């Protein structure tokens, strides 16, 4: 019982990270119908920016504790948001009217560029860090096994829920959110009604990149080691989560992230850890075969 409870806590915290990345996937797909396969590498860049910020703060002895984590988070969000805006403006906007494979190929190219840039600039070796937020709350003991709810896991769940709450209000209650929903329904009609669709799409990329940076910072705090390749696996699993929850559905992206995190964690705990990625990707295959619209997705009706 205690062991299963510990794995449940671990799976929820990991699933929250996947959910944050999956929200970025589903936002971009919902507005322009494109899968941004470079999004996982934005998550990786956010983790590296957070690490560099932490090292600078530690070397300068300026901030520590929660204040330092907040600075790491803001720095990672600012840099990745700038990248999101630049990528949309330079790489994706000129191809918006092109055939559907062109933006997809561009996204894969951007992913390779980001991976190799970080590999060359930061090195290929994993970058371990010390525990930035040690300790936790002891939930229970059973036969000598201690179930601990780590402070980093509390922070991951708390920040993820807060960010998603703010984002939900943004989408449902603000002019920007109404513009995003209008572009999702009919981009040409939205432009005819006076909505700046280019600005709306750019801001969507900016928000998605910032959410990926939050996920990268939380990953760094929780696991304490990163490398230039973490964005690929995390990105594919987050894409799996978005498809499982229903691509285009924000609640579905979070739900899919939680399910993928739980499946991966419990598989690693009770079966073979070497095959945890196979378990996650098998869910993607089964979902595409038997439930192509996902758990919360809706069937699109095309007007003829």
């Amino acid at each position: 019982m205690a062991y299963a409870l510990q794995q449940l806590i671990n799976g929820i915290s990991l699933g929250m990270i996947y959910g944050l990345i999956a929200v970025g996937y589903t936002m971009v797909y919902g507005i322009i119908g494109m899968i941004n396969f470079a999004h996982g590498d934005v998550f990786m860049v956010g983790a590296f920016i957070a690490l560099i910020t932490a090292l600078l703060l530690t070397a300068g002895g300026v901030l520590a504790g929660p204040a330092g984590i907040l600075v790491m988070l803001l720095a990672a969000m600012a840099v990745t948001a700038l990248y999101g805006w630049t990528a949309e403006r330079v790489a994706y906007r000129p191809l918006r009217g092109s055939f559907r494979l062109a933006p997809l190929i561009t996204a894969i190219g951007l992913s390779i560029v980001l991976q190799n840039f970080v590999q060359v600039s930061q090195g290929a070796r994993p970058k371990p860090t010390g525990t930035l937020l040690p300790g936790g709350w002891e939930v229970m003991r059973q036969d000598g096994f201690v179930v601990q709810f780590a402070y980093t896991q509390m922070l991951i769940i708390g920040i993820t829920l807060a960010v998603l709450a703010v984002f939900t209000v943004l989408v449902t209650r603000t002019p920007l959110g109404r513009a995003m929903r209008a572009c999702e329904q009919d981009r040409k009609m939205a432009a005819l009604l006076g909505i700046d669709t280019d600005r709306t799409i750019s801001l969507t990329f900016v928000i998605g990149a910032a959410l990926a940076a939050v996920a990268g910072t939380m990953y760094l705090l929780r696991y304490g080691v990163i490398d230039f390749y973490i964005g690929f696996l995390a990105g594919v699993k987050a894409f799996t989560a978005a498809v499982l929850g229903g691509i285009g559905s924000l609640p579905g992206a979070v739900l899919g992230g939680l399910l993928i995190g739980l499946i991966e964690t419990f598989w690693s705990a009770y079966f073979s850890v070497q095959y945890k990625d196979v378990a996650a990707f098998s869910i993607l295959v089964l979902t595409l075969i038997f439930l192509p619209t996902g758990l919360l997705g809706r069937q699109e009706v095309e007007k003829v």
Side-chain angles (χ1 to χ4, degrees), residues 113-125 127 228:
V113 168
L114 282 177
Q115 283 187 24
N116 284 272
F117 173 75
V118 174
Q119 180 183 9
V120 171
S121 61
Q122 302 298 321
R125 293 181 180 180
K127 302 294 185 295
F228 74 98

Side-chain angles (χ1 to χ4, degrees), residues 43-66:
F43 156 82
M44 177 267 296
V45 170
F48 269 93
I49 297 299
L51 173 61
I52 293 171
T53 305
L55 294 176
L56 291 175
L57 292 175
T58 303
V62 181
L63 293 174

